[in-house]
Amino acid sequence: MAEANQTVVYLSEQVVVLCSCALSFVGSSLIILTYVMWSDLRTTPRRLLVYLSVADWLSAVSYAVGVWRVFRSNSLDCVAQGAISTFANTSSFFWTVAIAVYLYVFIVRSSQRVADSLVWVFHLVSWGVPLAITVAAVCLNKIGYDASEVSVGWCWVRIHAQDRVLWMLLTGKIWEFLAYLTLPVLYILIKRHIHIAHAALSEYRPILADRPSSHSFSSMADMKLTLIPIIFIVLRIWSTVRFILLLAGSPARLNPVLVTLHGIGNTSQGAANCIMFVLLTQPIRTRLCAALCCCSKSPAGEQPSHGARHRLLPGQDASTQREEDSGSRVGTDR
């Protein structure tokens, strides 16, 4: 493919995608920070979310470097950036599916023991497979300058490699396609199981009529289960479209709007997860607001007590707090 076909990355596209990278960097960091700050939030699903956030954090940083530089040759820093982003992006796909599998086994199969026993397998696959693929691609000289044909300034598979399509599939696209198929199926099965369980308990609903908070948190968890695969597909579909257009040899892949959407989609996963599992999770949102208020009002050097961080809200009893936390755990995934 001639270099004359290089996709032009405009300054406006760079600014937008860099902003998206910054939001994902902050969002992924916030997910990790809340997990470190509050020990009672360290459930297995949220721990898996932290591993996913580490991959998204690494993706955001590596993509930001690529968008800032807009590489134009197979330089050493281009290969390094391409290798890191390839590893992190592929790992993100694996962790996204791993969380869905965990929730399916835990909720639908009702086996926490089996679900927890899968965690080491998730580590082996979600870190090991991307690392092996990336090392192989680098050793075989497949990672480098790609003329922004299926990227937005960053490096990926060398555009002049004869078997570039095969390596594009191995280093990302095949796992992306599998995630498109797997995530909706798993989350539909989880939602169906939950709805059946709720229907079976319908005779007890009049007893729970005075507990509207329980219904609200169940509704939020149900909404998250719906949004997780939808958001993933909406964010990632633009890179898939450009890949298909590249295979078809269509010049539409150079369209600035499509290029911008691709850049935003590939770099927004960390921000989307933060919105879903921090800002839209009431127990965590409440604690963050309280921590910010305490930091702004406390004298210099005075730290809020550990007990103050975990104090119940006015009118909130212990059982309601447990329901809130359980509601957030059900939806804890990408």
Side-chain angles (χ1 to χ4, degrees), residues 2-328:
E3 291 191 14
N5 289 339
Q6 175 183 344
T7 302
V8 178
V9 180
Y10 298 101
L11 178 61
S12 59
E13 296 169 352
Q14 284 182 275
V15 172
V16 171
V17 178
L18 282 172
C19 289
S20 177
C21 290
L23 290 174
S24 275
F25 175 86
V26 172
S28 299
S29 300
L30 195 56
I31 291 174
I32 298 169
L33 182 62
T34 55
Y35 181 85
V36 172
M37 286 174 60
W38 295 304
S39 59
D40 60 315
L41 296 179
R42 296 172 192 170
T43 62
T44 301
R46 189 158 288 274
R47 187 164 72 251
L48 297 179
L49 180 63
V50 167
Y51 300 144
L52 171 60
S53 298
V54 171
D56 289 335
W57 186 94
L58 198 56
S59 289
V61 173
S62 60
Y63 281 144
V65 172
V67 175
W68 178 266
R69 290 286 309 276
V70 187
F71 293 103
R72 302 187 186 280
S73 65
N74 289 312
S75 59
L76 182 61
D77 51 350
C78 169
V79 175
Q81 182 275 318
I84 294 172
S85 62
T86 296
F87 167 76
N89 194 49
T90 307
S91 180
S92 179
F93 291 147
F94 278 100
W95 279 116
T96 301
V97 175
I99 296 173
V101 171
Y102 179 92
L103 292 177
Y104 173 80
V105 175
F106 182 82
I107 296 172
V108 179
R109 298 301 180 185
S110 301
S111 179
Q112 182 176 358
R113 183 183 60 82
V114 174
D116 289 343
S117 69
L118 291 174
V119 173
W120 72 271
V121 178
F122 295 153
H123 278 290
L124 185 63
V125 173
S126 300
W127 299 125
V129 173
L131 181 61
I133 292 173
T134 303
V135 169
V138 172
C139 291
L140 294 174
N141 204 29
K142 302 300 179 181
I143 299 294
Y145 173 70
D146 72 342
S148 294
E149 290 289 347
V150 198
S151 69
V152 187
W154 57 77
C155 294
W156 188 29
V157 176
R158 292 177 185 250
I159 200 64
H160 294 296
Q162 293 184 349
D163 52 353
R164 61 181 178 273
V165 174
L166 171 63
W167 282 99
M168 286 179 179
L169 289 170
L170 288 175
T171 57
K173 290 306 170 187
I174 190 170
W175 316 115
E176 193 174 62
F177 292 142
L178 290 175
Y180 288 155
L181 298 175
T182 305
L183 292 177
V185 171
L186 289 175
Y187 282 110
I188 287 172
L189 291 174
I190 294 170
K191 280 172 60 67
R192 179 174 176 272
H193 177 84
I194 292 174
H195 289 167
I196 292 175
H198 284 176
L201 294 173
S202 60
E203 61 182 298
Y204 298 106
R205 286 177 183 167
I207 301 175
L208 302 175
D210 60 339
R211 299 297 300 278
S213 60
S214 176
H215 174 72
S216 64
F217 288 112
S218 296
S219 299
M220 178 59 70
D222 186 69
M223 182 188 74
K224 289 179 182 179
L225 291 174
T226 302
L227 290 178
I228 288 166
I230 293 176
I231 290 176
F232 178 85
I233 293 173
V234 168
L235 290 179
R236 295 290 183 172
I237 195 64
W238 311 109
S239 65
T240 303
V241 170
R242 286 193 73 201
F243 175 70
I244 293 173
L245 291 174
L246 175 67
L247 296 182
S250 172
R253 69 183 182 278
L254 311 179
N255 184 283
V257 175
L258 184 57
V259 171
T260 303
L261 289 173
H262 176 189
I264 294 172
N266 267 41
T267 58
S268 294
Q269 195 66 54
N273 287 339
C274 180
I275 292 172
M276 289 278 286
F277 304 116
V278 175
L279 302 183
L280 291 182
T281 302
Q282 184 168 338
I284 301 178
R285 185 175 68 246
T286 301
R287 294 183 186 192
L288 281 176
C289 292
L292 291 174
C293 291
C294 289
C295 289
S296 62
K297 294 180 181 179
S298 296
E302 181 180 340
Q303 298 295 330
S305 67
H306 178 79
R309 290 185 315 195
H310 297 278
R311 188 184 305 132
L312 294 177
L313 297 176
Q316 180 188 42
D317 60 19
S319 61
T320 302
Q321 188 185 45
R322 285 194 296 270
E323 287 176 359
E324 293 177 2
D325 289 340
S326 64
S328 66

